[in-house]
Amino acid sequence: QTVGNVLEVVLAAYLLRRAARSGYLLGRLDGLVRLLPPLAIATMVSATVGTLASRAGGVIEWSAFLTVWRTWWLGDACGALVVVPLALAWWRPVTRLSRARYAEFVLMLAVTGTLTGIAFSAPKALEYLAFPGLIWAALRFGQRGATLALALVTGVAIWNTTNSSGPFHFHSITNSILSTQLFIAVATVSALCVAAIVSERARFAAGLAESRTALLRAADS
Protein backbone atom coordinates (compact mmCIF):
# COMPACT_ATOMS: atom_id res chain seq x y z
CA GLN A 1 0.00 0.00 0.00
CA THR A 2 2.86 2.38 0.78
CA VAL A 3 4.45 1.63 -2.58
CA GLY A 4 1.15 2.40 -4.28
CA ASN A 5 0.81 5.70 -2.40
CA VAL A 6 4.34 6.78 -3.35
CA LEU A 7 3.76 5.82 -6.98
CA GLU A 8 0.59 7.92 -6.94
CA VAL A 9 2.45 11.04 -5.82
CA VAL A 10 5.36 10.55 -8.24
CA LEU A 11 3.09 9.89 -11.21
CA ALA A 12 0.82 12.83 -10.34
CA ALA A 13 3.81 15.18 -10.06
CA TYR A 14 5.20 13.97 -13.40
CA LEU A 15 1.88 14.30 -15.25
CA LEU A 16 1.09 17.69 -13.71
CA ARG A 17 4.50 19.07 -14.67
CA ARG A 18 3.90 17.99 -18.27
CA ALA A 19 0.39 19.47 -18.24
CA ALA A 20 1.65 22.76 -16.81
CA ARG A 21 4.03 23.33 -19.74
CA SER A 22 1.14 24.89 -21.65
CA GLY A 23 0.48 27.45 -18.93
CA TYR A 24 -1.13 28.00 -15.55
CA LEU A 25 -3.60 25.17 -14.93
CA LEU A 26 -6.16 27.04 -12.82
CA GLY A 27 -6.49 30.26 -14.82
CA ARG A 28 -8.25 28.80 -17.87
CA LEU A 29 -10.94 26.22 -18.52
CA ASP A 30 -8.66 24.27 -20.80
CA GLY A 31 -6.11 24.29 -17.97
CA LEU A 32 -8.65 22.62 -15.70
CA VAL A 33 -9.24 20.04 -18.42
CA ARG A 34 -5.50 19.31 -18.36
CA LEU A 35 -5.48 19.21 -14.54
CA LEU A 36 -8.17 16.59 -13.95
CA PRO A 37 -6.85 13.56 -15.95
CA PRO A 38 -3.45 13.42 -14.18
CA LEU A 39 -5.17 13.43 -10.80
CA ALA A 40 -7.64 10.74 -11.86
CA ILE A 41 -4.96 8.49 -13.38
CA ALA A 42 -2.48 8.83 -10.51
CA THR A 43 -5.06 8.09 -7.84
CA MET A 44 -6.16 5.00 -9.76
CA VAL A 45 -2.67 3.59 -9.30
CA SER A 46 -2.83 3.89 -5.52
CA ALA A 47 -6.37 2.49 -5.40
CA THR A 48 -5.46 -0.50 -7.57
CA VAL A 49 -2.24 -1.38 -5.74
CA GLY A 50 -3.81 -0.87 -2.32
CA THR A 51 -6.92 -2.91 -3.06
CA LEU A 52 -4.87 -5.76 -4.58
CA ALA A 53 -2.60 -5.73 -1.52
CA SER A 54 -5.65 -5.92 0.76
CA ARG A 55 -7.00 -8.85 -1.21
CA ALA A 56 -3.63 -10.63 -1.22
CA GLY A 57 -3.43 -10.18 2.55
CA GLY A 58 -6.88 -11.63 3.07
CA VAL A 59 -8.31 -8.36 4.37
CA ILE A 60 -11.14 -8.23 1.81
CA GLU A 61 -12.99 -10.74 -0.37
CA TRP A 62 -13.25 -10.61 -4.15
CA SER A 63 -16.93 -9.70 -3.80
CA ALA A 64 -15.93 -6.43 -2.10
CA PHE A 65 -13.07 -5.64 -4.47
CA LEU A 66 -14.88 -3.13 -6.70
CA THR A 67 -16.53 -1.33 -3.77
CA VAL A 68 -13.22 -0.97 -1.92
CA TRP A 69 -11.44 0.14 -5.10
CA ARG A 70 -14.12 2.75 -5.85
CA THR A 71 -14.04 4.09 -2.30
CA TRP A 72 -10.25 4.22 -2.28
CA TRP A 73 -10.02 5.91 -5.67
CA LEU A 74 -12.71 8.52 -4.99
CA GLY A 75 -11.18 9.25 -1.59
CA ASP A 76 -7.73 9.88 -3.04
CA ALA A 77 -9.14 11.76 -6.03
CA CYS A 78 -11.22 14.07 -3.83
CA GLY A 79 -8.22 14.73 -1.61
CA ALA A 80 -6.16 15.61 -4.68
CA LEU A 81 -8.92 17.85 -6.02
CA VAL A 82 -8.85 19.86 -2.80
CA VAL A 83 -5.13 19.92 -2.00
CA VAL A 84 -3.48 20.27 -5.43
CA PRO A 85 -5.45 23.39 -6.58
CA LEU A 86 -4.94 24.91 -3.12
CA ALA A 87 -1.17 24.43 -3.44
CA LEU A 88 -1.09 25.72 -7.02
CA ALA A 89 -3.12 28.81 -6.14
CA TRP A 90 -1.19 29.81 -3.01
CA TRP A 91 2.44 28.98 -3.83
CA ARG A 92 3.04 32.40 -5.39
CA PRO A 93 3.58 35.50 -3.20
CA VAL A 94 0.30 36.93 -1.94
CA THR A 95 -0.48 40.52 -2.88
CA ARG A 96 -1.58 42.79 -0.07
CA LEU A 97 -5.30 43.47 0.09
CA SER A 98 -6.88 46.75 1.00
CA ARG A 99 -8.73 46.92 4.28
CA ALA A 100 -12.08 46.73 2.51
CA ARG A 101 -11.02 43.72 0.44
CA TYR A 102 -9.53 42.00 3.47
CA ALA A 103 -12.72 42.57 5.45
CA GLU A 104 -14.76 41.16 2.56
CA PHE A 105 -12.42 38.14 2.40
CA VAL A 106 -12.89 37.40 6.10
CA LEU A 107 -16.64 37.93 5.79
CA MET A 108 -16.76 35.55 2.82
CA LEU A 109 -15.01 32.81 4.79
CA ALA A 110 -17.27 33.38 7.80
CA VAL A 111 -20.44 33.23 5.70
CA THR A 112 -19.24 30.17 3.81
CA GLY A 113 -18.35 28.36 7.02
CA THR A 114 -21.65 29.31 8.65
CA LEU A 115 -23.78 28.22 5.70
CA THR A 116 -21.87 24.95 5.39
CA GLY A 117 -22.19 24.33 9.12
CA ILE A 118 -25.96 24.85 8.92
CA ALA A 119 -26.21 22.62 5.85
CA PHE A 120 -24.29 19.74 7.41
CA SER A 121 -25.76 19.93 10.89
CA ALA A 122 -29.32 19.34 9.64
CA PRO A 123 -30.58 15.89 8.58
CA LYS A 124 -32.38 17.39 5.58
CA ALA A 125 -30.80 17.79 2.15
CA LEU A 126 -29.42 21.32 2.59
CA GLU A 127 -25.92 20.76 1.25
CA TYR A 128 -26.62 23.23 -1.58
CA LEU A 129 -26.37 26.06 0.98
CA ALA A 130 -22.58 25.80 0.68
CA PHE A 131 -22.60 26.89 -2.96
CA PRO A 132 -23.39 30.63 -2.54
CA GLY A 133 -20.23 30.99 -0.45
CA LEU A 134 -18.17 29.09 -3.03
CA ILE A 135 -19.53 31.24 -5.87
CA TRP A 136 -18.80 34.41 -3.87
CA ALA A 137 -15.24 33.24 -3.26
CA ALA A 138 -14.63 32.35 -6.92
CA LEU A 139 -16.16 35.55 -8.33
CA ARG A 140 -14.47 38.00 -6.00
CA PHE A 141 -11.17 36.34 -5.05
CA GLY A 142 -10.37 33.99 -7.93
CA GLN A 143 -8.47 30.76 -7.47
CA ARG A 144 -7.11 31.63 -4.05
CA GLY A 145 -10.49 32.46 -2.60
CA ALA A 146 -12.15 29.48 -4.26
CA THR A 147 -9.56 26.93 -3.12
CA LEU A 148 -9.54 28.23 0.45
CA ALA A 149 -13.34 28.21 0.61
CA LEU A 150 -13.35 24.68 -0.82
CA ALA A 151 -10.96 23.51 1.87
CA LEU A 152 -13.26 25.03 4.50
CA VAL A 153 -16.42 23.48 3.02
CA THR A 154 -14.75 20.10 2.63
CA GLY A 155 -13.50 20.12 6.20
CA VAL A 156 -16.93 20.98 7.63
CA ALA A 157 -18.65 18.36 5.46
CA ILE A 158 -16.25 15.59 6.43
CA TRP A 159 -16.26 16.52 10.11
CA ASN A 160 -20.04 16.49 10.40
CA THR A 161 -20.46 13.30 8.38
CA THR A 162 -17.88 11.40 10.42
CA ASN A 163 -19.60 12.61 13.59
CA SER A 164 -22.93 11.15 12.44
CA SER A 165 -24.75 14.33 11.47
CA GLY A 166 -25.84 16.07 8.31
CA PRO A 167 -27.54 14.98 5.09
CA PHE A 168 -24.84 12.43 4.24
CA HIS A 169 -25.15 10.41 7.43
CA PHE A 170 -26.74 7.06 6.56
CA HIS A 171 -26.91 3.71 8.28
CA SER A 172 -24.65 2.40 5.51
CA ILE A 173 -21.12 3.79 5.81
CA THR A 174 -20.58 3.02 2.12
CA ASN A 175 -23.44 5.33 1.14
CA SER A 176 -22.20 8.04 3.51
CA ILE A 177 -18.70 7.93 2.05
CA LEU A 178 -19.92 7.87 -1.55
CA SER A 179 -22.30 10.81 -1.04
CA THR A 180 -19.61 12.89 0.67
CA GLN A 181 -17.05 12.11 -2.03
CA LEU A 182 -19.41 13.03 -4.85
CA PHE A 183 -20.35 16.29 -3.10
CA ILE A 184 -16.68 17.23 -2.74
CA ALA A 185 -15.98 16.41 -6.39
CA VAL A 186 -18.96 18.40 -7.71
CA ALA A 187 -18.33 21.40 -5.43
CA THR A 188 -14.62 21.51 -6.31
CA VAL A 189 -15.03 21.29 -10.07
CA SER A 190 -17.89 23.84 -10.04
CA ALA A 191 -16.01 26.42 -7.97
CA LEU A 192 -12.78 26.00 -9.94
CA CYS A 193 -14.66 26.42 -13.23
CA VAL A 194 -16.23 29.68 -12.03
CA ALA A 195 -12.83 30.96 -10.87
CA ALA A 196 -11.26 30.02 -14.22
CA ILE A 197 -13.98 31.86 -16.16
CA VAL A 198 -13.47 34.95 -13.99
CA SER A 199 -9.71 34.84 -14.68
CA GLU A 200 -10.29 34.48 -18.41
CA ARG A 201 -12.65 37.45 -18.46
CA ALA A 202 -10.20 39.56 -16.45
CA ARG A 203 -7.38 38.77 -18.90
CA PHE A 204 -9.68 39.51 -21.83
CA ALA A 205 -10.67 42.87 -20.34
CA ALA A 206 -7.03 43.74 -19.69
CA GLY A 207 -6.15 42.81 -23.26
CA LEU A 208 -8.93 45.04 -24.61
CA ALA A 209 -7.73 47.93 -22.48
CA GLU A 210 -4.17 47.52 -23.76
CA SER A 211 -5.40 47.34 -27.36
CA ARG A 212 -7.48 50.48 -26.91
CA THR A 213 -4.51 52.32 -25.43
CA ALA A 214 -2.32 51.21 -28.33
CA LEU A 215 -4.94 52.38 -30.86
CA LEU A 216 -5.22 55.78 -29.18
CA ARG A 217 -1.43 56.20 -29.23
CA ALA A 218 -1.35 55.24 -32.89
CA ALA A 219 -4.14 57.73 -33.66
CA ASP A 220 -2.29 60.49 -31.81
CA SER A 221 0.88 59.73 -33.76
Side-chain angles (χ1 to χ4, degrees):
Q1 289 177 0
T2 303
V3 170
N5 291 334
V6 174
L7 286 176
E8 171 190 310
V9 176
V10 173
L11 180 60
Y14 172 74
L15 295 176
L16 287 173
R17 287 175 67 89
R18 289 181 61 87
R21 291 177 182 176
S22 301
Y24 184 48
L25 296 177
L26 298 182
R28 301 168 58 99
L29 285 177
D30 57 350
L32 287 179
V33 173
R34 297 195 308 271
L35 171 69
L36 297 180
L39 299 182
I41 294 171
T43 49
M44 284 181 183
V45 173
S46 176
T48 302
V49 174
T51 308
L52 287 174
S54 298
R55 178 65 192 95
V59 178
I60 62 173
E61 300 293 335
W62 281 115
S63 59
F65 185 89
L66 290 179
T67 301
V68 173
W69 184 89
R70 182 197 67 195
T71 303
W72 197 313
W73 174 56
L74 285 176
D76 281 12
C78 288
L81 279 175
V82 174
V83 173
V84 172
L86 182 68
L88 291 176
W90 286 89
W91 76 273
R92 297 176 178 178
V94 180
T95 56
R96 292 180 61 88
L97 298 176
S98 64
R99 289 186 178 181
R101 290 280 289 172
Y102 183 77
E104 182 185 357
F105 186 77
V106 174
L107 179 62
M108 178 272 295
L109 291 178
V111 171
T112 302
T114 301
L115 290 177
T116 308
I118 294 173
F120 283 90
S121 60
K124 298 181 179 180
L126 300 177
E127 61 274 11
Y128 57 85
L129 284 177
F131 281 85
L134 293 176
I135 295 173
W136 183 3
L139 288 177
R140 294 288 293 162
F141 300 100
Q143 287 83 28
R144 286 175 173 168
T147 52
L148 194 59
L150 282 168
L152 176 61
V153 170
T154 300
V156 173
I158 294 175
W159 175 266
N160 281 274
T161 303
T162 54
N163 285 276
S164 304
S165 64
F168 297 150
H169 171 59
F170 305 109
H171 293 294
S172 170
I173 189 173
T174 301
N175 292 336
S176 295
I177 293 174
L178 180 60
S179 298
T180 306
Q181 290 170 335
L182 293 178
F183 170 79
I184 293 172
V186 172
T188 301
V189 173
S190 300
L192 291 179
C193 284
V194 174
I197 292 173
V198 171
S199 295
E200 288 184 339
R201 293 188 58 165
R203 284 197 305 272
F204 183 70
L208 285 178
E210 291 178 359
S211 299
R212 183 176 182 275
T213 301
L215 287 174
L216 290 176
R217 290 176 179 172
D220 289 341
S221 297

PDB file of all heavy atoms in Angstrom, residues 10 18 22-23 29 31 44 48 51 54 58 74 81 83 87 91 103 125 127 129 139 148 167-168 170 199 220:
ATOM      1  N   VAL A  10       4.336  10.355  -7.194  1.00  0.00           N
ATOM      2  CA  VAL A  10       5.358  10.550  -8.236  1.00  0.00           C
ATOM      3  C   VAL A  10       4.710  10.700  -9.610  1.00  0.00           C
ATOM      4  O   VAL A  10       5.060  11.586 -10.393  1.00  0.00           O
ATOM      5  CB  VAL A  10       6.354   9.374  -8.222  1.00  0.00           C
ATOM      6  CG1 VAL A  10       7.315   9.477  -9.406  1.00  0.00           C
ATOM      7  CG2 VAL A  10       7.127   9.349  -6.917  1.00  0.00           C
ATOM      8  N   ARG A  18       4.070  18.005 -16.810  1.00  0.00           N
ATOM      9  CA  ARG A  18       3.904  17.994 -18.270  1.00  0.00           C
ATOM     10  C   ARG A  18       2.684  18.820 -18.678  1.00  0.00           C
ATOM     11  O   ARG A  18       2.728  19.557 -19.664  1.00  0.00           O
ATOM     12  CB  ARG A  18       3.749  16.555 -18.763  1.00  0.00           C
ATOM     13  CG  ARG A  18       5.025  15.727 -18.688  1.00  0.00           C
ATOM     14  CD  ARG A  18       4.797  14.321 -19.210  1.00  0.00           C
ATOM     15  NE  ARG A  18       4.378  14.334 -20.610  1.00  0.00           N
ATOM     16  CZ  ARG A  18       5.211  14.353 -21.650  1.00  0.00           C
ATOM     17  NH1 ARG A  18       6.518  14.361 -21.447  1.00  0.00           N
ATOM     18  NH2 ARG A  18       4.758  14.355 -22.890  1.00  0.00           N
ATOM     19  N   SER A  22       1.962  24.044 -20.776  1.00  0.00           N
ATOM     20  CA  SER A  22       1.143  24.889 -21.647  1.00  0.00           C
ATOM     21  C   SER A  22       0.603  26.121 -20.941  1.00  0.00           C
ATOM     22  O   SER A  22      -0.130  26.906 -21.532  1.00  0.00           O
ATOM     23  CB  SER A  22      -0.028  24.071 -22.222  1.00  0.00           C
ATOM     24  OG  SER A  22       0.444  22.963 -22.953  1.00  0.00           O
ATOM     25  N   GLY A  23       0.944  26.284 -19.660  1.00  0.00           N
ATOM     26  CA  GLY A  23       0.478  27.454 -18.931  1.00  0.00           C
ATOM     27  C   GLY A  23      -0.127  27.097 -17.586  1.00  0.00           C
ATOM     28  O   GLY A  23      -0.205  25.928 -17.191  1.00  0.00           O
ATOM     29  N   LEU A  29     -10.150  27.445 -18.507  1.00  0.00           N
ATOM     30  CA  LEU A  29     -10.944  26.221 -18.515  1.00  0.00           C
ATOM     31  C   LEU A  29     -10.180  25.063 -19.153  1.00  0.00           C
ATOM     32  O   LEU A  29     -10.271  23.924 -18.682  1.00  0.00           O
ATOM     33  CB  LEU A  29     -12.267  26.458 -19.252  1.00  0.00           C
ATOM     34  CG  LEU A  29     -13.328  27.273 -18.502  1.00  0.00           C
ATOM     35  CD1 LEU A  29     -14.547  27.478 -19.380  1.00  0.00           C
ATOM     36  CD2 LEU A  29     -13.723  26.579 -17.203  1.00  0.00           C
ATOM     37  N   GLY A  31      -7.087  24.696 -18.979  1.00  0.00           N
ATOM     38  CA  GLY A  31      -6.114  24.288 -17.968  1.00  0.00           C
ATOM     39  C   GLY A  31      -6.713  23.314 -16.970  1.00  0.00           C
ATOM     40  O   GLY A  31      -6.067  22.343 -16.558  1.00  0.00           O
ATOM     41  N   MET A  44      -5.797   6.375  -9.411  1.00  0.00           N
ATOM     42  CA  MET A  44      -6.164   5.001  -9.759  1.00  0.00           C
ATOM     43  C   MET A  44      -5.042   4.017  -9.438  1.00  0.00           C
ATOM     44  O   MET A  44      -5.295   2.874  -9.055  1.00  0.00           O
ATOM     45  CB  MET A  44      -6.504   4.920 -11.251  1.00  0.00           C
ATOM     46  CG  MET A  44      -7.852   5.468 -11.635  1.00  0.00           C
ATOM     47  SD  MET A  44      -8.165   5.283 -13.414  1.00  0.00           S
ATOM     48  CE  MET A  44      -9.756   6.098 -13.534  1.00  0.00           C
ATOM     49  N   THR A  48      -5.632   0.852  -7.037  1.00  0.00           N
ATOM     50  CA  THR A  48      -5.460  -0.503  -7.571  1.00  0.00           C
ATOM     51  C   THR A  48      -4.439  -1.293  -6.760  1.00  0.00           C
ATOM     52  O   THR A  48      -4.688  -2.440  -6.360  1.00  0.00           O
ATOM     53  CB  THR A  48      -5.020  -0.433  -9.046  1.00  0.00           C
ATOM     54  OG1 THR A  48      -5.997   0.301  -9.787  1.00  0.00           O
ATOM     55  CG2 THR A  48      -4.877  -1.819  -9.635  1.00  0.00           C
ATOM     56  N   THR A  51      -5.842  -1.928  -3.125  1.00  0.00           N
ATOM     57  CA  THR A  51      -6.923  -2.912  -3.064  1.00  0.00           C
ATOM     58  C   THR A  51      -6.389  -4.322  -3.345  1.00  0.00           C
ATOM     59  O   THR A  51      -6.794  -5.295  -2.694  1.00  0.00           O
ATOM     60  CB  THR A  51      -8.029  -2.551  -4.063  1.00  0.00           C
ATOM     61  OG1 THR A  51      -8.425  -1.191  -3.861  1.00  0.00           O
ATOM     62  CG2 THR A  51      -9.248  -3.440  -3.857  1.00  0.00           C
ATOM     63  N   SER A  54      -4.670  -5.502  -0.261  1.00  0.00           N
ATOM     64  CA  SER A  54      -5.647  -5.917   0.760  1.00  0.00           C
ATOM     65  C   SER A  54      -6.228  -7.286   0.443  1.00  0.00           C
ATOM     66  O   SER A  54      -6.431  -8.113   1.333  1.00  0.00           O
ATOM     67  CB  SER A  54      -6.766  -4.874   0.853  1.00  0.00           C
ATOM     68  OG  SER A  54      -6.257  -3.614   1.247  1.00  0.00           O
ATOM     69  N   GLY A  58      -5.690 -11.038   2.479  1.00  0.00           N
ATOM     70  CA  GLY A  58      -6.880 -11.627   3.065  1.00  0.00           C
ATOM     71  C   GLY A  58      -7.739 -10.670   3.853  1.00  0.00           C
ATOM     72  O   GLY A  58      -8.593 -11.089   4.638  1.00  0.00           O
ATOM     73  N   LEU A  74     -11.997   7.251  -5.177  1.00  0.00           N
ATOM     74  CA  LEU A  74     -12.706   8.517  -4.991  1.00  0.00           C
ATOM     75  C   LEU A  74     -12.152   9.291  -3.800  1.00  0.00           C
ATOM     76  O   LEU A  74     -12.082  10.523  -3.829  1.00  0.00           O
ATOM     77  CB  LEU A  74     -14.205   8.259  -4.810  1.00  0.00           C
ATOM     78  CG  LEU A  74     -14.988   7.883  -6.070  1.00  0.00           C
ATOM     79  CD1 LEU A  74     -16.437   7.568  -5.720  1.00  0.00           C
ATOM     80  CD2 LEU A  74     -14.920   8.998  -7.103  1.00  0.00           C
ATOM     81  N   LEU A  81      -8.171  16.719  -5.483  1.00  0.00           N
ATOM     82  CA  LEU A  81      -8.923  17.852  -6.024  1.00  0.00           C
ATOM     83  C   LEU A  81      -8.926  19.042  -5.067  1.00  0.00           C
ATOM     84  O   LEU A  81      -8.995  20.196  -5.507  1.00  0.00           O
ATOM     85  CB  LEU A  81     -10.367  17.432  -6.317  1.00  0.00           C
ATOM     86  CG  LEU A  81     -10.619  16.695  -7.626  1.00  0.00           C
ATOM     87  CD1 LEU A  81     -12.071  16.240  -7.693  1.00  0.00           C
ATOM     88  CD2 LEU A  81     -10.289  17.578  -8.825  1.00  0.00           C
ATOM     89  N   VAL A  83      -6.477  19.504  -2.418  1.00  0.00           N
ATOM     90  CA  VAL A  83      -5.133  19.916  -1.996  1.00  0.00           C
ATOM     91  C   VAL A  83      -4.317  20.485  -3.154  1.00  0.00           C
ATOM     92  O   VAL A  83      -3.648  21.521  -3.004  1.00  0.00           O
ATOM     93  CB  VAL A  83      -4.399  18.721  -1.347  1.00  0.00           C
ATOM     94  CG1 VAL A  83      -2.942  19.089  -1.058  1.00  0.00           C
ATOM     95  CG2 VAL A  83      -5.105  18.295  -0.080  1.00  0.00           C
ATOM     96  N   ALA A  87      -2.614  24.207  -3.378  1.00  0.00           N
ATOM     97  CA  ALA A  87      -1.170  24.433  -3.436  1.00  0.00           C
ATOM     98  C   ALA A  87      -0.788  25.265  -4.651  1.00  0.00           C
ATOM     99  O   ALA A  87       0.049  26.173  -4.565  1.00  0.00           O
ATOM    100  CB  ALA A  87      -0.447  23.084  -3.458  1.00  0.00           C
ATOM    101  N   TRP A  91       1.001  29.070  -3.920  1.00  0.00           N
ATOM    102  CA  TRP A  91       2.442  28.979  -3.827  1.00  0.00           C
ATOM    103  C   TRP A  91       3.118  30.294  -4.212  1.00  0.00           C
ATOM    104  O   TRP A  91       4.237  30.575  -3.785  1.00  0.00           O
ATOM    105  CB  TRP A  91       2.961  27.848  -4.710  1.00  0.00           C
ATOM    106  CG  TRP A  91       2.979  28.148  -6.184  1.00  0.00           C
ATOM    107  CD1 TRP A  91       1.972  27.975  -7.076  1.00  0.00           C
ATOM    108  CD2 TRP A  91       4.075  28.682  -6.935  1.00  0.00           C
ATOM    109  NE1 TRP A  91       2.346  28.360  -8.335  1.00  0.00           N
ATOM    110  CE2 TRP A  91       3.643  28.805  -8.282  1.00  0.00           C
ATOM    111  CE3 TRP A  91       5.376  29.077  -6.611  1.00  0.00           C
ATOM    112  CZ2 TRP A  91       4.461  29.304  -9.295  1.00  0.00           C
ATOM    113  CZ3 TRP A  91       6.189  29.573  -7.630  1.00  0.00           C
ATOM    114  CH2 TRP A  91       5.728  29.673  -8.945  1.00  0.00           C
ATOM    115  N   ALA A 103     -11.507  42.766   4.661  1.00  0.00           N
ATOM    116  CA  ALA A 103     -12.722  42.572   5.450  1.00  0.00           C
ATOM    117  C   ALA A 103     -13.730  41.723   4.677  1.00  0.00           C
ATOM    118  O   ALA A 103     -14.392  40.850   5.258  1.00  0.00           O
ATOM    119  CB  ALA A 103     -13.327  43.926   5.808  1.00  0.00           C
ATOM    120  N   ALA A 125     -31.715  17.574   3.266  1.00  0.00           N
ATOM    121  CA  ALA A 125     -30.803  17.789   2.153  1.00  0.00           C
ATOM    122  C   ALA A 125     -30.606  19.288   1.924  1.00  0.00           C
ATOM    123  O   ALA A 125     -31.261  19.904   1.089  1.00  0.00           O
ATOM    124  CB  ALA A 125     -31.327  17.119   0.892  1.00  0.00           C
ATOM    125  N   GLU A 127     -27.327  20.583   1.596  1.00  0.00           N
ATOM    126  CA  GLU A 127     -25.923  20.762   1.246  1.00  0.00           C
ATOM    127  C   GLU A 127     -25.702  21.844   0.203  1.00  0.00           C
ATOM    128  O   GLU A 127     -24.607  22.390   0.078  1.00  0.00           O
ATOM    129  CB  GLU A 127     -25.325  19.445   0.739  1.00  0.00           C
ATOM    130  CG  GLU A 127     -25.969  18.872  -0.506  1.00  0.00           C
ATOM    131  CD  GLU A 127     -27.177  18.001  -0.216  1.00  0.00           C
ATOM    132  OE1 GLU A 127     -27.646  17.996   0.941  1.00  0.00           O
ATOM    133  OE2 GLU A 127     -27.651  17.337  -1.145  1.00  0.00           O
ATOM    134  N   LEU A 129     -26.610  24.775   0.334  1.00  0.00           N
ATOM    135  CA  LEU A 129     -26.368  26.059   0.982  1.00  0.00           C
ATOM    136  C   LEU A 129     -24.894  26.453   0.937  1.00  0.00           C
ATOM    137  O   LEU A 129     -24.562  27.640   1.103  1.00  0.00           O
ATOM    138  CB  LEU A 129     -26.830  26.013   2.447  1.00  0.00           C
ATOM    139  CG  LEU A 129     -28.334  26.083   2.704  1.00  0.00           C
ATOM    140  CD1 LEU A 129     -28.620  25.956   4.193  1.00  0.00           C
ATOM    141  CD2 LEU A 129     -28.909  27.386   2.169  1.00  0.00           C
ATOM    142  N   LEU A 139     -15.919  34.320  -7.577  1.00  0.00           N
ATOM    143  CA  LEU A 139     -16.156  35.547  -8.333  1.00  0.00           C
ATOM    144  C   LEU A 139     -15.301  36.712  -7.849  1.00  0.00           C
ATOM    145  O   LEU A 139     -14.783  37.490  -8.644  1.00  0.00           O
ATOM    146  CB  LEU A 139     -17.636  35.932  -8.249  1.00  0.00           C
ATOM    147  CG  LEU A 139     -18.629  35.068  -9.041  1.00  0.00           C
ATOM    148  CD1 LEU A 139     -20.052  35.544  -8.779  1.00  0.00           C
ATOM    149  CD2 LEU A 139     -18.327  35.122 -10.537  1.00  0.00           C
ATOM    150  N   LEU A 148      -9.469  28.143  -1.016  1.00  0.00           N
ATOM    151  CA  LEU A 148      -9.537  28.227   0.447  1.00  0.00           C
ATOM    152  C   LEU A 148     -10.952  27.949   0.945  1.00  0.00           C
ATOM    153  O   LEU A 148     -11.147  27.242   1.946  1.00  0.00           O
ATOM    154  CB  LEU A 148      -9.069  29.609   0.909  1.00  0.00           C
ATOM    155  CG  LEU A 148      -8.770  29.746   2.409  1.00  0.00           C
ATOM    156  CD1 LEU A 148      -7.680  28.772   2.821  1.00  0.00           C
ATOM    157  CD2 LEU A 148      -8.358  31.175   2.737  1.00  0.00           C
ATOM    158  N   PRO A 167     -26.755  15.701   6.111  1.00  0.00           N
ATOM    159  CA  PRO A 167     -27.544  14.983   5.092  1.00  0.00           C
ATOM    160  C   PRO A 167     -26.854  13.743   4.557  1.00  0.00           C
ATOM    161  O   PRO A 167     -27.499  12.929   3.895  1.00  0.00           O
ATOM    162  CB  PRO A 167     -27.718  16.032   3.990  1.00  0.00           C
ATOM    163  CG  PRO A 167     -26.542  16.940   4.142  1.00  0.00           C
ATOM    164  CD  PRO A 167     -26.272  17.005   5.610  1.00  0.00           C
ATOM    165  N   PHE A 168     -25.549  13.586   4.784  1.00  0.00           N
ATOM    166  CA  PHE A 168     -24.836  12.433   4.244  1.00  0.00           C
ATOM    167  C   PHE A 168     -24.607  11.340   5.276  1.00  0.00           C
ATOM    168  O   PHE A 168     -23.846  10.403   5.034  1.00  0.00           O
ATOM    169  CB  PHE A 168     -23.482  12.859   3.666  1.00  0.00           C
ATOM    170  CG  PHE A 168     -23.602  13.795   2.501  1.00  0.00           C
ATOM    171  CD1 PHE A 168     -22.615  14.740   2.244  1.00  0.00           C
ATOM    172  CD2 PHE A 168     -24.703  13.744   1.657  1.00  0.00           C
ATOM    173  CE1 PHE A 168     -22.723  15.607   1.173  1.00  0.00           C
ATOM    174  CE2 PHE A 168     -24.827  14.613   0.583  1.00  0.00           C
ATOM    175  CZ  PHE A 168     -23.829  15.544   0.342  1.00  0.00           C
ATOM    176  N   PHE A 170     -25.818   8.173   6.795  1.00  0.00           N
ATOM    177  CA  PHE A 170     -26.740   7.062   6.559  1.00  0.00           C
ATOM    178  C   PHE A 170     -26.329   5.887   7.438  1.00  0.00           C
ATOM    179  O   PHE A 170     -25.238   5.861   8.014  1.00  0.00           O
ATOM    180  CB  PHE A 170     -26.723   6.638   5.078  1.00  0.00           C
ATOM    181  CG  PHE A 170     -27.004   7.757   4.117  1.00  0.00           C
ATOM    182  CD1 PHE A 170     -25.995   8.279   3.318  1.00  0.00           C
ATOM    183  CD2 PHE A 170     -28.275   8.296   4.001  1.00  0.00           C
ATOM    184  CE1 PHE A 170     -26.238   9.309   2.430  1.00  0.00           C
ATOM    185  CE2 PHE A 170     -28.528   9.333   3.113  1.00  0.00           C
ATOM    186  CZ  PHE A 170     -27.511   9.836   2.331  1.00  0.00           C
ATOM    187  N   SER A 199     -11.086  34.506 -14.280  1.00  0.00           N
ATOM    188  CA  SER A 199      -9.715  34.837 -14.675  1.00  0.00           C
ATOM    189  C   SER A 199      -9.625  35.094 -16.176  1.00  0.00           C
ATOM    190  O   SER A 199      -8.945  36.036 -16.620  1.00  0.00           O
ATOM    191  CB  SER A 199      -8.768  33.703 -14.279  1.00  0.00           C
ATOM    192  OG  SER A 199      -8.705  33.556 -12.882  1.00  0.00           O
ATOM    193  N   ASP A 220      -2.966  59.235 -32.161  1.00  0.00           N
ATOM    194  CA  ASP A 220      -2.287  60.491 -31.809  1.00  0.00           C
ATOM    195  C   ASP A 220      -1.055  60.697 -32.691  1.00  0.00           C
ATOM    196  O   ASP A 220      -0.762  61.821 -33.135  1.00  0.00           O
ATOM    197  CB  ASP A 220      -1.892  60.471 -30.349  1.00  0.00           C
ATOM    198  CG  ASP A 220      -3.108  60.585 -29.433  1.00  0.00           C
ATOM    199  OD1 ASP A 220      -4.163  61.040 -29.923  1.00  0.00           O
ATOM    200  OD2 ASP A 220      -3.011  60.210 -28.238  1.00  0.00           O
TER     201      ASP A 220
END
